[in-house]
Amino acid sequence: MLHIKCPHCGMRSQNEFSYGGDATVKRPELNKEVTDQEWDNFVYNRVSPRGKHFELWQHLSGCRQWIKVERDTATHEIFKTYKANEEIA
Amino acid sequence: MQKYSIFSLVKNALTGHQNWDLAWKDPNPKEEYDVVIIGGGGHGLATAYYLAKEHQITKVAIIEKGWIGGGNVGRNTTIIRSNYMHDENGLFSEFGMDLWRKMSQDLNYNVMFSPRGIINLAHSDAQMNAYARRGNSMRLNGIDAVLLNREEVKELIPMADFSDNVRFPIFGGLMQPSAGTARHDAVAWGYARQADSMGVDIIQNCEVTGFDVSAGKIKGIRTSRGNIKAKKVGLCVAGSTNILAEKLNMTLPIETHLLQACVSEPIKPVLDKVVTFGAGHFYVSQSDKGEMVMGGDLDGYNSYAQRGNLPTLQHVLTEGIAMMPFLSKLKMLRTWGGIMDMSMDGSPIIDKTHIEGLYLNCGWCYGGFKATPASGWTFAHTIAQDRVHELNAGYSLNRFSTGHLIDEKGLGTKTWIS
């Protein structure tokens, strides 16, 4: 079982969280011409690295806040967690 | 190649089983091949076999990082079916069903194909309507489908929970009688043995470290056992597709996730169908050894771990016990995990790429094993003819940007997110 340190509530079990995918994906800017390729990259294409991965989780059964988690996809080691509005260092 | 038969079995039994030929050789990589297939799983081995058999291309190598059949072809729950609604999936899978039926004879290897039928349970009127629609679509594509009412289901699987006070009562189900199971390892070994006998080099313990591409054309691959020149290269590495794509500077509509399965202790024959729970994601069948083979949801977050996590297993088995309460009495024998290519619409990709001579076979999600023969057959065609076959034309890489998704579950993008 993963133990995720919610930046608001502290260390909690994985069971309280739901997963939200790659946190590095950026929506194309509003009011700007968007190419099909840019839209494709935003909606569908993912790097899905083996190793360090920045991802979104929601503390669904806790404070209900979205957070960012830096986790290793091969070992499941969690290095650091961030509030949703914090920039990834 | 030594032919397997009752006579060869008796003959070798009398001589103490000392004279069997090796089923496949262990060659060193040659300098150059016409086609290199990366990935010695079911799909890779089948591709090499059909390249040799259907297209007479035998200067072929299979490059496998570990050992053949050590990945998902040896880790799945062995279910074979074609109960899809969409034409692309239905026709492709039904073509595969035909290959499954002939496989043991074709490969001279008993893959223990057992068309015992699959039942998808329905737990509401709305679900019965949806199943009726899917069943009709299947029948229009020539696939057998039978809509069962509650009593008919009860006759077939009386051990399921038909009591009145359950959260998800069984309303009925959709059955594909011709679906079933097969011995997964035998499929890998059968394809490997035949491919090897036709001249394919099966090169194990050989990791691909890079690709040689010049002027938009594939020239060869770099491996832990030296560089290999190749006119054409096919990727068949479900679970590791993203890792190799990164070496090619490609970003694909795929995430890598972990799927678990488990078996119980062996018990006497109790279940002669494959059954899926309709109010969640759980499936069960009984193996020839008597074990109950079970599986369900992904662990839910990107993973290359090839081992599972307990919360998901607990969740999946809770569904199992809701469907068949007797399962709670069984001891768990083994659990394991494999890593899946989860494509963004839940359907696979078998296509050419923007690099000339590089072909892609990936995105099999939960359903790679049953697709093994059809995937190998169509991928071999795509590689040999340098064009997709009509059976895999829908499984294109660019369908995501053009909007031609094959959204079998009607859930839109990232169908696995719960």
Side-chain angles (χ1 to χ4, degrees), chain A residues 1-2 14-15 19 21-22 36 40 43-50 53 55 57 71 73-76, chain B residues 242-243 246 251-257 300-305 307 309 311 344 400-401 405 413-414:
Chain A
M1 166 135 24
L2 301 181
Q14 164 197 344
N15 288 338
Y19 183 65
D22 193 333
D36 284 354
D40 225 21
V43 181
Y44 298 118
N45 294 337
R46 296 292 179 268
V47 176
S48 192
R50 186 181 200 279
H53 188 231
E55 54 202 20
W57 288 77
R71 183 181 60 92
T73 57
T75 65
H76 296 329
Chain B
N242 289 104
I243 298 174
E246 204 178 345
T251 318
L252 297 172
I254 286 173
E255 279 186 16
T256 308
H257 282 254
Y301 42 86
N302 293 47
S303 174
Y304 284 90
R307 63 179 184 282
N309 211 339
M344 292 290 159
F400 298 92
S401 46
L405 303 192
T413 179
K414 300 188 198 68

Side-chain angles (χ1 to χ4, degrees), chain B residues 7-49:
Chain B
F7 304 108
S8 68
L9 186 64
V10 170
K11 191 177 138 210
N12 281 283
L14 293 173
T15 53
H17 294 295
Q18 298 299 305
N19 301 317
W20 288 108
D21 288 349
L22 280 179
W24 52 85
K25 297 178 280 293
D26 186 20
N28 285 316
K30 297 193 185 88
E31 206 170 291
E32 188 176 359
Y33 290 95
D34 289 340
V35 180
V36 165
I37 304 294
I38 303 172
H43 292 220
L45 293 162
T47 304
Y49 169 70

Side-chain angles (χ1 to χ4, degrees), chain B residues 83-240:
Chain B
N83 54 356
Y84 288 101
M85 186 172 81
H86 287 301
D87 290 350
E88 293 91 342
N89 292 329
L91 295 171
F92 178 89
S93 304
E94 187 56 17
F95 176 78
M97 291 303 293
D98 230 27
L99 295 175
W100 278 113
R101 287 177 203 118
K102 294 183 271 192
M103 190 181 287
S104 291
Q105 284 72 30
D106 190 26
L107 298 180
N108 179 227
Y109 204 105
N110 186 3
V111 300
M112 297 162 75
F113 176 54
S114 161
R116 59 184 68 182
I118 186 170
I119 301 174
N120 302 135
L121 293 179
H123 307 275
S124 66
D125 283 329
Q127 203 165 15
M128 284 299 283
N129 289 342
Y131 280 2
R133 181 179 177 221
R134 175 149 62 93
N136 284 332
S137 301
M138 287 165 62
R139 291 170 77 133
L140 285 172
N141 280 332
I143 305 164
D144 55 327
V146 183
L147 196 65
L148 305 171
N149 63 29
R150 180 179 161 94
E151 291 311 311
E152 288 164 328
V153 173
K154 196 172 178 179
E155 212 144 281
L156 292 167
I157 50 165
M159 77 298 288
D161 194 347
F162 288 92
S163 54
D164 294 327
N165 57 349
V166 291
R167 173 70 183 81
F168 298 107
I170 295 168
F171 274 56
L174 182 65
M175 177 160 74
Q176 184 190 5
S178 68
T181 61
R183 174 72 204 159
H184 51 359
D185 300 307
V187 175
W189 300 333
Y191 275 123
R193 177 166 160 270
Q194 286 293 346
D196 175 89
S197 79
M198 289 188 283
V200 173
D201 281 356
I202 298 172
I203 298 159
Q204 304 178 74
N205 300 307
C206 181
E207 183 178 359
V208 172
T209 54
F211 296 85
D212 287 320
V213 180
S214 78
K217 214 175 154 185
I218 195 91
K219 299 288 178 193
I221 60 168
R222 285 172 237 156
T223 77
S224 57
R225 291 172 68 176
N227 294 353
I228 301 170
K229 284 186 217 151
K231 294 190 184 79
K232 294 176 176 181
V233 174
L235 256 59
C236 268
V237 290
S240 302

Side-chain angles (χ1 to χ4, degrees), chain A residues 19-35:
Chain A
Y19 183 65
D22 193 333
T24 62
V25 176
K26 286 227 161 39
R27 193 183 195 283
E29 263 181 64
L30 283 173
N31 306 320
K32 216 188 96 189
E33 191 68 27
V34 181
T35 65

